Structure formats: structure tokens, C-alpha cells
Amino acid sequence: VPQLSRNNHRLATQARIRRSPSLCRPVQTCFQTTSVPRGYCRGFSSAPSNGGSKPRPDPFARRPNQKCDPYGQGGKPLSAGDAKRLLATVHPDWVLEGDGYKNDGDGDGPIPTHLTRSFLHPDFISGSSFLTHVAAVAQMNDHFPSLRLERKLDSKRKQWSVVSTVSCNTFVLQGLSHHDFFVATLIDVEMERPEVNSFILDESQS
């Protein structure tokens, strides 16, 4: 993936969102009701919620499968090949990783479980402010990455650095879905906004 300038990458990312059906694929639930959160193929308990007449979603119901397929992936995480192809649609700093990669048996190599990117910040408050914007993106799209903020010792530069890490993963699939790449793309766009970009340090500035 070529190293694009910030402005060109922002424009290219926005164009990919508009034209990519895989990135824009909406999450669908298996029940026609607004009371069922996205992601899980939830059954219903017989007991009404809060004394009402409507049944309560069961958070322990089965995971997505070929019949109940809210992610459009047959209840399976993305294969290594598909994840690598989608990696080209996000900023080059995103990486595929995961402890103990699994094999889907299709001969497509091990399956990465997380899509991760780290960001440098001038101070801890800036890192916290940046993650607030990332959290807003996640909340608005109902898909939630893991967020971490820490002060790390850079052994090469022999100095302390404030680093935030965003790790996208679809827990119910035990791997990656198209929505992880969609949220990563939205984070790429968000960080190009001047008020958000001010919280980020380039490696040359660190």
C-alpha cells in the first residue's frame, strides 16, 4: 500500500466507504425487533422484562451461524486471505494480529483475530481526548473495539512515549468481520479532522 499524504488518504478512504459494498454492509439481526442488540443471534426468555408483556432477549443464546447470520459471513470469522485483502482498504499503520491464530481449514492460512493500530500522543490528556473521539465512533456504529492508553518507555529513543492502541475484533465470531474494517476506516477519517489530529503525534515529532 503506498504511503499517501494525510489529505489524499482521507479522500481515498471516504471514496472507498461510498463504493465498497463489503465495508458498508449493514448489520442485520435475526429477529424483527428493535429490542435485540446487534451481533448476537438472540433467543428470548419466557419471563417478561420489567413486568411488561414483551419477552426479554437471552444474551446466552447461540452465536451467529449460517441460518442466523447478522454479519453476512456464515457465522465464521474472516479468513486470513479475506482479512489481508481488506487490510489494503485501511491506513497502512493497521496490522493484523492475535494470540494463537486459528485455521479455518480452507487452506487460506491462519486466521487473525484482531485489527490493531497504535497512535502517539504529546501527553496523556491528549491521548485520553483522542480515545473519546474513537469511543464516539464506536458508539454511533454499535461496534466496539478495545481501547488502551499507556505510557511506554521507548528503548530505541530512550524516552517515554504516550501511546493509545485501538484493537478491533468481533467477539461473537471469535475473529474479524467486515465491521471491524469499517470501524477502522471511520477512525482513519475521524483522525484527519483538525480538532482530532491535534491529539496525534507523527513519529518524526516524537
Side-chain angles (χ1 to χ4, degrees), residues 171-188:
F171 176 76
V172 295
L173 295 180
Q174 300 182 6
L176 292 171
S177 70
H178 291 92
H179 303 286
D180 295 307
F181 290 89
F182 180 56
V183 168
T185 301
L186 294 179
I187 293 171
D188 288 343

Side-chain angles (χ1 to χ4, degrees), residues 15-178:
R16 282 196 298 270
I17 292 176
R18 289 192 296 268
R19 68 172 180 261
S20 175
S22 62
L23 286 177
C24 297
R25 178 182 296 157
V27 178
Q28 297 178 351
T29 59
C30 299
F31 300 94
Q32 298 299 318
T33 173
T34 57
S35 64
V36 181
R38 295 177 181 175
Y40 282 98
C41 294
R42 297 191 172 186
F44 291 96
S45 66
S46 57
S49 175
N50 298 325
S53 59
K54 293 183 179 180
R56 182 173 63 230
D58 179 7
F60 300 104
R62 65 187 186 279
R63 295 178 182 274
N65 53 44
Q66 290 183 350
K67 292 183 179 180
C68 180
D69 189 16
Y71 291 98
Q73 297 174 196
K76 296 181 179 180
L78 290 172
S79 67
D82 287 339
K84 289 175 183 177
R85 283 188 285 274
L86 284 170
L87 188 63
T89 68
V90 295
H91 191 279
D93 287 348
W94 290 97
V95 296
L96 298 172
E97 58 182 28
D99 295 331
Y101 287 1
K102 300 177 182 178
N103 195 310
D104 61 359
D106 294 330
D108 206 11
I111 299 177
T113 57
H114 292 78
L115 176 65
T116 303
R117 182 178 178 183
S118 295
F119 304 86
L120 292 174
H121 308 282
D123 52 57
F124 214 76
I125 297 298
S126 296
S128 177
S129 299
F130 171 72
L131 289 183
T132 298
H133 286 268
V134 174
V137 171
Q139 184 69 39
M140 292 176 64
N141 290 275
D142 203 16
H143 196 74
F144 304 94
S146 297
L147 308 178
R148 185 171 71 248
L149 179 63
E150 56 190 333
R151 189 169 179 259
K152 301 172 66 175
L153 181 60
D154 190 328
S155 58
K156 293 183 179 180
R157 297 186 178 90
K158 296 183 179 180
Q159 65 182 24
W160 289 94
S161 299
V162 177
V163 182
S164 66
T165 304
V166 180
S167 184
C168 300
N169 166 266
T170 301
F171 176 76
V172 295
L173 295 180
Q174 300 182 6
L176 292 171
S177 70
H178 291 92

